[in-house]
Amino acid sequence: MMDFFTALVFVYELQNEKAESIIWFKDYESCYNAQYKADPLYDMLNGKEMYCLESDVASRIVKPKVRNEVRQ
């Protein structure tokens, strides 16, 4: 299984202009869990949207196990 860096995206209005802030996490699960903890920040920013966006950059790759040599 591979994990990908995931962005927690906040969309809000700042002086009548759309603005975004991004916080990066090592995987989707970490980002998803952070959404609940970020509720006070979302409220403070008068947020319009908050979501996780997975990148295509791997943060962790599981290496294959070394197999024993097959003797014939």
Side-chain angles (χ1 to χ4, degrees):
M1 181 175 149
M2 292 177 51
D3 290 326
F4 296 90
F5 288 108
T6 304
L8 176 57
V9 181
F10 290 97
V11 181
Y12 54 96
E13 264 187 40
L14 185 62
Q15 297 181 357
N16 296 321
E17 294 287 328
K18 180 180 174 183
E20 293 182 355
S21 294
I22 298 173
I23 301 171
W24 287 97
F25 292 88
K26 65 180 180 171
D27 57 29
Y28 188 88
E29 184 179 355
S30 298
C31 180
Y32 182 82
N33 292 334
Q35 283 183 321
Y36 295 101
K37 294 180 181 178
D39 276 343
L41 178 59
Y42 181 79
D43 292 339
M44 184 179 76
L45 292 173
N46 194 23
K48 304 297 180 196
E49 293 178 67
M50 180 171 56
Y51 55 91
C52 292
L53 183 62
E54 191 172 70
S55 76
D56 58 356
V57 178
S59 61
R60 183 177 73 90
I61 300 172
V62 176
K63 295 179 182 177
K65 293 181 181 180
V66 177
R67 296 183 181 188
N68 294 334
E69 265 187 52
V70 178
R71 294 182 184 180
Q72 294 180 349

